Amino acid sequence: MITIQHPEQMQAKAIELRQQGKRLVLVPTMGFLHEGHLSLMRIARQRGDVIITSIFVNPSQFGPQEDLEAYPRDFEQDEGLCRNEGVDILFYPGIETMYLPDVSVYVDETLLSRGLCGLTRPTHFRGVLTIVAKLFNICLPHAAVFGEKDAQQLRLLRRMVRDLNFPVEMVSGPIVRESDGLAMSTRNKYLTDNERREALCLRHSLDLAEECYAGGERDVSTILDAMQGVITGSSSGVIDYLAAVDDENLEAIDTIDRPALIALAVRFGEARLLDNTVLGL
Ligand code: PAF
């Protein structure tokens, strides 16, 4: 595995590998890698010849009151994990090479980014789309792999690739869960033991939604009320949102008469956790 820190060097390496006919697959991350990230690297391995993993805690996707400084980092551990997974290139740029002091161009999405996480994190997706567009231009991947836990992010990135004609195949990896069902997330680290136990209600509420749907229920408010009952009845979690939206355009729906994304964000102390399921596929 080689580690490259400078965007120009990374781009030159990507051009060289492409000229050799290699198929490049990118797994963008913000580091502090867990089994969820590693599963994406394994998917990448099956999709190409050269796996590039990027580690960059992207400041532009954090709001002013958010956890940029506190966001966990452990480069040495991440490096070892990447090596074990057979990553070929670790791209680890410094902030000053990714954002020049007078940066003035960003990628904005105007529809899918408005609801769900966009309601409380109004500048978040602009930061995500901008950094991923930059990573695509620097790493020149044929394909890129993203996790399904960040459901809105994944749909927005697919929309960016479509609307801006990026020649990148978008691949997604299923949510990886702890053995008790909690979706893996870097932010799980913020949970106290009690919050960690309570956070299981997220998976339980999604299980209930799936059971309701399997039993023939199609009314969104009935399903969401039942989910809310599970969360508020068994935890001190503060619901940021609990929503059923059209799986493609993320518009709110009343009835599950097409594939529907059931998505939630709930705060437990310092941690804001996301989880989701898709009904009606
Ligand atoms: O999902 C993440 O970890 C980040 O949002 C991403 C896609 C690496 C962009 O910084």
Side-chain angles (χ1 to χ4, degrees), residues 16-256:
E16 181 192 315
L17 290 163
R18 277 180 160 256
Q19 279 165 353
Q20 292 167 9
K22 301 277 196 251
R23 185 174 157 82
L24 315 186
V25 187
L26 174 67
V27 182
T29 81
M30 297 208 302
F32 211 73
L33 304 173
H34 52 66
E35 195 53 40
H37 298 109
L38 306 185
S39 74
L40 304 181
M41 293 174 197
R42 287 170 208 144
I43 293 172
R45 172 51 69 220
Q46 291 163 0
R47 296 276 180 155
D49 308 309
V50 177
I51 311 178
I52 306 170
T53 293
S54 61
I55 296 183
F56 181 65
V57 182
N58 172 36
S60 74
Q61 69 189 74
F62 289 78
Q65 311 301 329
E66 291 179 5
D67 57 342
L68 174 62
E69 296 307 321
Y71 197 83
R73 293 157 169 92
D74 189 340
F75 181 70
E76 270 168 35
Q77 180 176 292
D78 289 348
E79 206 181 16
L81 290 168
C82 287
R83 195 170 277 121
N84 284 346
E85 287 306 325
V87 168
D88 299 288
I89 302 177
L90 180 53
F91 179 49
Y92 181 55
I95 176 156
E96 63 298 335
T97 59
M98 292 299 273
Y99 290 104
L100 300 180
D102 59 348
V103 55
S104 59
V105 179
Y106 295 89
V107 180
D108 233 336
E109 196 281 341
T110 55
L111 226 49
L112 281 63
S113 54
R114 286 203 204 139
L116 307 178
C117 290
L119 289 170
T120 49
R121 307 186 75 193
T123 56
H124 171 66
F125 289 115
R126 173 172 124 140
V128 171
L129 296 183
T130 302
I131 196 67
V132 172
K134 286 169 70 68
L135 289 168
F136 283 179
N137 285 330
I138 294 166
C139 302
L140 302 172
H142 295 84
V145 194
F146 296 89
E148 288 168 12
K149 182 174 64 66
D150 297 306
Q152 189 177 14
Q153 164 174 289
L154 177 63
R155 285 153 185 79
L156 272 156
L157 287 167
R158 286 200 182 117
R159 188 54 78 94
M160 176 183 84
V161 163
R162 187 196 80 175
D163 286 356
L164 297 184
N165 305 88
F166 277 97
V168 179
E169 182 196 351
M170 294 291 284
V171 180
S172 70
I175 299 175
V176 177
R177 298 180 179 280
E178 304 283 356
S179 54
D180 60 6
L182 182 68
M184 289 201 186
S185 164
T186 304
R187 289 185 168 104
N188 290 350
K189 188 179 155 56
Y190 299 147
L191 297 169
T192 62
D193 289 347
N194 189 45
E195 289 162 354
R196 169 71 184 74
R197 271 190 296 278
E198 288 191 356
L200 285 182
C201 69
L202 303 185
R203 178 64 245 183
H204 295 156
S205 74
L206 292 165
D207 286 343
L208 182 61
E210 285 167 10
E211 282 162 28
C212 290
Y213 183 79
E217 185 60 66
R218 297 292 180 268
D219 181 55
V220 162
S221 54
T222 306
I223 295 175
L224 295 184
D225 284 352
M227 291 176 70
Q228 187 172 346
V230 171
I231 296 170
T232 54
S234 63
S235 82
S236 56
V238 179
I239 297 176
D240 184 352
Y241 65 79
L242 184 53
V245 294
D246 179 294
D247 187 43
E248 197 177 313
N249 62 26
L250 302 187
E251 278 171 18
I253 54 175
D254 297 330
T255 307
I256 305 189

